[in-house]
Amino acid sequence: MKVGVVLPVFNQEPQYIFECIQSLQNQTFRQFKLAIVIDGANAETVNAVYEASQVLTIPFQIINRTENQGIAYTLNEGFSYLTDCPYLTWVSSDNRHYPEFLQALVKTMDSTPKEIVLVYSLYHRINEEGINVSNSEEMHQFMTSLMRRPKEQIYSVCFLGASFLFRRQAFEKAGGYRNKFPIAQDHDFWMRILQHGDIYFLEKYLMEYRVNGKYSLTTLTPSEDLILESMRSSIDNRKTIQDIPKVSVLLTSYNQCKYIDHAIESVLNQTFTNFHLIAVDDGSTDGTQEIIYQKKDSRLIGLFLNHRGKAHALNAGLEFCLGEYVLELDGDDWLDPQTLDIMVREMDKQPPNVGLTYANRKLWNQVGEKLIEGPIIPGLNYGDKYDVLSNLQTHCPRLYRKSALKSIGGWKRFIDGQPAILDDFLMFLDLAEKYDFHWINGALYHQRRHEKNITLIQQEEISSEIQKIVHAKIKEWGNEYIPEFIFNEGSLVKVDLRPRGLS
């Protein structure tokens, strides 16, 4: 037989199983055989498989395993019964395939060069009742744009979908499926198999993919968990192919759809190109995530989280930073084109006890659709941690030594049990306890001021939090000083530190 098909089955709605198996029986291409692997399913599901399979006239066998081993193990077991088939595919038990599914994929694979190891096509989405919910021109354009990507972008987004056929030889070279990332095993497999060849996209609808099914993985698993595991798999595979950047740019955003494209492009257009961009969205509801998702660059790693605050987003993103250095960027700001080039060269010159280098920032005022140029805010040279504490300044851009970030446990999320506003100031203080800083006297960061800036709308809370931080740090560092807080027009701008015992 030319094609081997695996149908893995765990607990499933009986009606879906009947529809799936019937769609396989209806295939116009008949040179295939089927391995149905029951992965410790409940009795209702098992009975449905045996009853539904009675319609099959193609060669098939049922492997009824009573112990649940997971999808990766089940797929590999099924393919082990199909060793004589040069082409392979698998189907989920709640999906339906058009009669020309195999015919079109096989014909396409037969006509492509041997370097093509996988062909894939468009698919429609159906709901629990089997009704097409994606039959619109807008969805067609979105899916076509998403799926027509070069194979290198598989490390950034799983764009291949549910309609595919691959060569057995490539499957074996990739080592089959693996359990290391059980809820992202398909994306993990695509990244590994595409190390052994190229892909071909067939712009034709060949199947129906069910969404919101009762037992569907995407229904049972929170979207944040799916995304994080998918990107953990990406990081793991990047390590395998030695895709290790010098710098990881850690961009965080929350409801910044107006500005996020500018921020991302300012990174992608850097003169220094050896970087990854970890774009962490903190639960935006305004379309920010969609803009990140549609970016087509293999250096981009998109993380889409539930809203928990910036410090959590930064710490979540830090897990995915492979670079020696980490540069922090807000989603409404942007970088000078030479920021990474200049800062990396400067940091490379510094001894290991320098944990952070920073430069000057240029302010821009967003007034309606216009950007009005503001002043340049210079950095400062610091003598010690108390100098950092008393000046109450943070500086942009910030390029961290990743090992320094790791040594202090990342960004602080809470102050006295409350979510922290000044995660950047806390980071400066934590680093200042253990590391020296280096200032680059050049404007390399562009900071946008607009009506939603935290520093503009939370002045009272910020002043209160600064005082808490100062008192806590002085106590933590030995209680050697008494602070005097200096205000200017209602804003806390400086702390004078008077040694204890002096009148």
Side-chain angles (χ1 to χ4, degrees), residues 42-55:
N42 59 35
E44 182 183 45
T45 299
V46 173
N47 291 336
V49 168
Y50 279 97
E51 185 178 349
S53 63
Q54 293 178 16
V55 304

Side-chain angles (χ1 to χ4, degrees), residues 250-264 279-292 295 307 310 313 329-334 366 445 447-455 457:
L250 188 49
L251 183 153
T252 55
S253 60
Y254 176 62
N255 285 343
Q256 292 165 334
C257 67
K258 290 182 180 180
Y259 313 124
I260 191 67
D261 185 75
H262 192 185
I264 291 173
V280 189
D281 186 78
D282 185 35
S284 290
T285 58
D286 67 343
T288 299
Q289 294 185 357
E290 287 77 4
I291 295 171
I292 296 171
K295 287 293 178 181
H307 182 56
K310 184 179 177 181
L329 174 64
D330 287 345
D332 50 356
D333 300 334
W334 68 97
Q366 186 78 45
Y445 191 96
Q447 187 174 56
R448 191 189 307 263
R449 292 290 181 89
H450 53 85
E451 69 279 0
K452 293 185 179 180
N453 284 131
I454 288 177
T455 52
I457 62 177

Side-chain angles (χ1 to χ4, degrees), residues 245-379:
K246 181 75 170 180
V247 184
S248 295
V249 179
L250 188 49
L251 183 153
T252 55
S253 60
Y254 176 62
N255 285 343
Q256 292 165 334
C257 67
K258 290 182 180 180
Y259 313 124
I260 191 67
D261 185 75
H262 192 185
I264 291 173
E265 290 300 317
S266 78
V267 179
L268 299 181
N269 293 323
Q270 288 291 297
T271 57
F272 182 92
T273 60
N274 187 15
F275 65 84
H276 285 169
L277 171 57
I278 297 88
V280 189
D281 186 78
D282 185 35
S284 290
T285 58
D286 67 343
T288 299
Q289 294 185 357
E290 287 77 4
I291 295 171
I292 296 171
Y293 190 73
Q294 292 182 40
K295 287 293 178 181
K296 296 181 178 180
D297 195 298
S298 61
R299 296 170 296 181
L300 176 64
I301 298 168
L303 306 177
F304 308 120
L305 311 180
N306 299 324
H307 182 56
R308 296 188 191 90
K310 184 179 177 181
H312 174 82
L314 287 166
N315 287 327
L318 184 59
E319 176 189 348
F320 297 85
C321 293
L322 295 180
E324 179 183 357
Y325 305 140
V326 176
L327 185 133
E328 187 181 346
L329 174 64
D330 287 345
D332 50 356
D333 300 334
W334 68 97
L335 303 178
D336 187 83
Q338 292 188 308
T339 297
L340 292 183
D341 206 346
I342 293 171
M343 297 194 78
V344 168
R345 280 192 279 110
E346 282 294 311
M347 185 63 112
D348 280 346
K349 297 175 186 177
Q350 306 308 313
N353 65 306
V354 173
L356 169 67
T357 185
Y358 49 86
N360 306 334
R361 69 182 185 271
K362 184 174 182 61
L363 298 184
W364 296 83
N365 295 304
Q366 186 78 45
V367 181
E369 298 300 317
K370 292 184 178 180
L371 268 177
I372 299 175
E373 188 172 355
I376 291 175
I377 308 299

Side-chain angles (χ1 to χ4, degrees), residues 4-8 33-37 74-75 78-79 82 89-91:
V5 180
V6 174
L7 173 58
K33 60 182 179 178
L34 174 65
I36 304 174
V37 187
T74 301
L75 288 172
F79 287 126
L82 305 170
T89 189
W90 66 272
V91 298

Side-chain angles (χ1 to χ4, degrees), residues 143-263:
M143 290 295 293
T144 303
S145 174
L146 172 67
M147 299 179 77
R148 188 185 283 118
R149 294 178 179 234
K151 72 168 189 175
E152 291 78 14
Q153 290 181 19
I154 195 62
Y155 295 96
S156 297
V157 58
C158 187
F159 62 84
L160 293 176
S163 178
F164 52 82
L165 185 76
F166 51 84
R167 296 186 190 271
R168 162 168 283 283
Q169 186 177 33
F171 168 82
E172 293 173 347
K173 287 181 179 179
Y177 289 82
R178 59 178 183 169
N179 283 313
K180 189 171 184 178
F181 302 98
I183 61 175
Q185 46 72 34
D186 51 350
H187 193 188
D188 178 67
F189 177 69
W190 299 142
M191 285 183 276
R192 290 182 295 108
I193 197 174
L194 294 191
Q195 295 172 26
H196 304 285
D198 214 335
I199 56 177
Y200 184 90
F201 174 47
L202 177 61
E203 193 176 335
K204 186 175 183 180
Y205 290 96
L206 295 178
M207 65 163 292
E208 294 173 326
Y209 172 78
R210 196 180 303 270
V211 295
N212 299 326
K214 179 180 177 181
Y215 296 108
S216 171
L217 179 66
T218 53
T219 301
L220 298 173
T221 308
S223 61
E224 180 181 284
D225 293 349
L226 286 169
I227 291 165
L228 289 177
E229 179 146 317
S230 187
M231 289 301 101
R232 288 188 184 106
S233 172
S234 174
I235 289 295
D236 188 73
N237 281 285
R238 287 176 190 267
K239 290 177 181 177
T240 299
I241 64 172
Q242 293 299 301
D243 180 15
I244 309 294
K246 181 75 170 180
V247 184
S248 295
V249 179
L250 188 49
L251 183 153
T252 55
S253 60
Y254 176 62
N255 285 343
Q256 292 165 334
C257 67
K258 290 182 180 180
Y259 313 124
I260 191 67
D261 185 75
H262 192 185

